Amino acid sequence: MLKTTGLVLILLFCTSCGGLMALRLRKRTAALKKSQLFIHLLSERLSYTLCPVEELFLALAEEPLLEELDYIPDCSRRMAGRAPFPEAFCESVSQSRLPLSARDREVISSLSPIVGASSAENQLQGLMLVKANLSGQAEQAQEQAEKRSRLYLSLGILSGAALAVLLL
């Protein structure tokens, strides 16, 4: 009885590991889509208001649609502590707990030299470029999630079953 329970636990553990890996891929895709929404809202607010970057980020940190993006309120807090925007934003993105790849973080961080650095028109053009790059990253993440999610789940189940058979 104890041995059977142990084998079932091994199978469940391996299956859950595969499921967690698949979930991480889906969360990355969701985070990239939310980041696209963030850039859209940022460009919208830049085009209609002339408020400083600190006020923009304070307003975006309170936006309910963006609450999953932990780097926005973190950047706002850093700027409230008198850190300059480029430094605050890059640090916030690099320390974010979101399941983003290094390339994703690099693309999002490329906003730092754009926002608040030039005329509104130049900022909007720069944001469009970043949004296009982020869109490519989101498409790639979506494709990976579709292909690899089933693979990770299957590998989890099969590795758990193989371990259980070996330990029989």
Side-chain angles (χ1 to χ4, degrees), residues 54-55 57-58 72-85 87-89 91-92:
E54 293 83 9
E55 289 180 28
F57 269 78
L58 189 60
I72 298 171
D74 186 43
C75 179
S76 185
R77 279 191 299 276
R78 290 174 192 267
M79 285 190 296
R82 300 294 177 215
F85 170 73
E87 180 184 312
F89 189 72
E91 286 179 19
S92 296

Side-chain angles (χ1 to χ4, degrees), residues 2-16:
L2 187 60
K3 186 174 185 178
T4 305
T5 304
L7 294 176
V8 169
L9 287 175
I10 288 172
L11 179 64
L12 288 174
F13 174 75
C14 291
T15 302
S16 64

Side-chain angles (χ1 to χ4, degrees), residues 85-86 89-94 102-114 130:
F85 170 73
F89 189 72
C90 286
E91 286 179 19
S92 296
V93 171
S94 69
R103 176 70 181 138
D104 299 338
R105 291 176 194 277
E106 183 181 314
V107 170
I108 295 169
S109 292
S110 67
L111 284 173
S112 63
I114 297 170
V130 173

